[in-house]
Amino acid sequence: MAARAATDGYRFIKLHEIELPQVKAARDAIGSDIALMCDTNCPWTVAQAIEMAHAFKPINLYWLEEPVWPPEDHAGLARVRQAGATIAAGENTAGLHDFRHMFEAGAIDIAQPSVTKIGGLGEMRRIADLAQSFGVRLVPHCAYFGPGFLASLHFAATLAHDVPFERLYVTLEASPFGPWLEAKGGKVAVPQTPGLGCDPDMAIVERYRTEPIHITK
């Protein structure tokens, strides 16, 4: 899958793996010129995360994402970062003040607020300004296919620095937002009309509409 994504034009590839053989296999498949990230979804203690960060070093990860449980252990994240790993986190961070605590702890290199969890575009903008003041790069977390995807896309387009944009590498049976979710040559276009930039295809919505189920006791 990593090799196929590279052939499709993606220059940044993110895995959801926690074992060295799988991550190494992906690196071997795509070569050294494509950025490889690994999102581990908070599986390890701090000591385990440091051990894995050292194990991953020869693979040259672009970033190591959420290596520590619980995700709010900012001091623990900072220790993994001090061990030499480039750390990304933020999709589980609880608002602006929690991000400030993360920045003050020196926990991350990459901030990843999620527009659908954090409170919308206004809060995203405030977090971006705060991240800039701390010298932390911001890359929106975006594991979405609907309005959250479009909002994240517009937000990413406003950032002064160039950022990779997250898109789940799957083929959908149908999508009410159609071509705006499709990548060509590893890139997606930004809609240019007002609001989120496009309306859903209601024919697709109707095709998948289900009647509510009424439960009685």
Side-chain angles (χ1 to χ4, degrees):
M1 291 297 290
R4 193 174 85 181
T7 301
D8 287 345
Y10 288 83
R11 309 310 296 168
F12 296 83
I13 295 174
K14 185 163 80 169
L15 311 174
H16 285 80
E17 299 288 351
I18 61 172
E19 300 290 346
L20 180 61
Q22 290 89 329
V23 179
K24 184 179 184 302
R27 171 56 78 199
D28 291 343
I30 65 177
S32 60
D33 295 334
I34 293 176
L36 183 66
M37 302 93 100
C38 191
D39 183 354
T40 61
N41 295 115
C42 310
W44 299 314
T45 66
V46 173
Q48 290 170 331
I50 291 172
E51 181 181 353
M52 292 305 298
H54 287 310
F56 285 146
K57 270 190 177 180
I59 298 172
N60 189 30
L61 291 180
Y62 190 74
W63 73 53
L64 179 62
E65 186 171 334
E66 292 201 321
V68 170
W69 176 264
E72 61 270 21
D73 183 2
H74 301 160
L77 277 177
R79 287 171 57 194
V80 182
R81 183 172 176 241
Q82 289 162 7
T86 299
I87 299 297
E91 67 172 287
N92 294 307
T93 303
L96 180 69
H97 297 292
D98 206 18
F99 269 104
R100 179 182 292 278
H101 185 268
M102 186 182 286
F103 299 157
E104 289 174 344
I108 58 173
D109 301 277
I110 314 290
Q112 298 176 294
S114 178
V115 70
T116 67
K117 296 180 181 181
I118 207 67
L121 289 168
E123 192 71 357
M124 290 283 282
R125 186 70 263 164
R126 287 184 280 274
I127 293 166
D129 291 341
L130 184 65
Q132 184 177 27
S133 72
F134 276 88
V136 174
R137 193 175 178 213
L138 190 143
V139 178
H141 174 264
C142 178
Y144 309 115
F145 298 107
F149 180 95
L150 295 169
S152 300
L153 182 59
H154 282 287
F155 178 77
T158 70
L159 296 174
H161 57 281
D162 189 26
V163 299
F165 183 73
E166 185 172 17
R167 177 193 180 275
L168 294 180
Y169 188 62
V170 298
T171 300
L172 299 176
E173 179 180 271
S175 168
F177 293 103
W180 298 110
L181 273 67
E182 298 303 318
K184 295 181 179 180
K187 297 181 179 181
V188 289
V190 181
Q192 297 298 305
T193 51
L196 291 178
C198 68
D199 294 323
D201 183 340
M202 294 308 296
I204 292 177
V205 174
E206 289 298 326
R207 189 194 313 168
Y208 288 88
R209 186 186 296 278
T210 58
E211 294 299 323
I213 298 173
H214 298 285
I215 300 174
T216 59
K217 293 183 178 180

